[in-house]
Amino acid sequence: MNLRNRTTQGAATIGLLLTTTVLAAPEAIAASKDPSTASVDSVAPKPLGQLGPLTALVIERLLVSDNVAAAKFGTASPIEDPVREAQVLEQVRQQAEAVGVNSQAAVAIFRDQITASKEVQRGLFARWTAHPDEAPTTRPDLSQIRGRLDQLTTALLAELKDTESLRNKPVACSVQLALAEVSGAAQEQLDTLHRQALRTATDSVCRPGGPGDQQSWPLL
């Protein structure tokens, strides 16, 4: 069961923060997208809260999945690639151990990233098959895409290390994650497919020991 749904206290706090975010988000997004108010040095808004930077990377990885889908669509390249997935997870495990991140937690989180990516790919394949006029007209280079994914892996592991203390507190983590997800989805104007995939991609973020870990964690 997802930790975000486990406590009344967490749910109440999340609701308060989400209400504040939803009320503030449209105005903030409108300002950021208004070319008349943008400056040369302006920076795109990021998801809110302590898990904002981590969530921003997760969202970027999801959006890269669009390019993965475009590279595979209409080819013999399958969405499911167990060998490649195993290689990625083993690399994550090794990199996590090298930088001092709980490798079990890191592998669980990146397994969710892979699952979410496949959700996006399947959704886009179905959309493009049903509406050929929406299908991509160019095919991105999959090797370049994988290079970007490797960069995101390094950045995500760094964020996992920086947020370890927070992620060891399930309720506080759940509150911050919900805040980051809602604000990030609004800022990036994610559609239903990508919003659902974002939930999948962050499912294990607040489980510091990985799925099945029953250790007792401090709540706040």
Side-chain angles (χ1 to χ4, degrees), residues 72-200:
K72 292 181 177 180
F73 187 68
T75 74
S77 296
I79 292 176
E80 294 277 353
D81 189 347
V83 174
R84 168 68 180 171
E85 293 169 18
Q87 291 173 343
V88 169
L89 293 177
E90 176 58 23
Q91 290 171 359
V92 166
R93 184 188 66 77
Q94 294 178 6
Q95 286 183 252
E97 291 177 351
V99 299
V101 174
N102 181 317
S103 60
Q104 182 183 3
V107 168
I109 289 168
F110 274 87
R111 183 176 289 112
D112 289 343
Q113 306 305 301
I114 292 172
T115 300
S117 176
K118 291 189 290 188
E119 287 180 9
V120 170
Q121 292 178 57
R122 291 191 191 97
L124 290 176
F125 272 35
R127 182 183 303 172
W128 296 336
T129 299
H131 305 281
D133 57 308
E134 298 181 12
T137 56
T138 60
R139 197 179 307 285
D141 186 335
L142 198 54
S143 63
Q144 291 183 1
I145 295 171
R146 286 175 174 171
R148 180 56 187 153
L149 289 175
D150 288 342
Q151 293 174 344
L152 287 171
T153 293
T154 300
L156 278 165
L157 286 171
E159 282 300 323
L160 291 180
K161 185 174 180 63
D162 288 346
T163 59
E164 185 174 31
S165 177
L166 173 61
R167 292 185 298 101
N168 274 318
K169 302 171 184 177
V171 173
C173 178
S174 298
V175 170
Q176 290 295 322
L177 183 58
L179 176 62
E181 284 182 349
V182 170
S183 58
Q187 288 161 1
E188 292 294 337
Q189 299 183 356
L190 299 184
D191 60 12
T192 300
L193 172 63
H194 290 81
R195 286 173 184 262
Q196 291 174 342
L198 177 57
R199 294 302 301 271
T200 297

Side-chain angles (χ1 to χ4, degrees), residues 13-76:
T13 308
I14 290 171
L16 177 61
L17 284 172
L18 294 191
T19 299
T20 303
T21 302
V22 169
L23 290 174
E27 183 175 320
I29 293 169
S32 69
K33 292 184 177 296
D34 184 355
S36 66
T37 60
S39 66
V40 174
D41 296 325
S42 64
V43 177
K46 298 296 184 183
L48 302 177
Q50 297 176 58
L51 291 175
L54 174 64
T55 303
L57 292 170
V58 171
I59 290 175
E60 182 177 351
R61 198 180 193 283
L62 281 178
L63 295 177
V64 170
S65 298
D66 291 16
N67 290 332
V68 175
K72 292 181 177 180
F73 187 68
T75 74

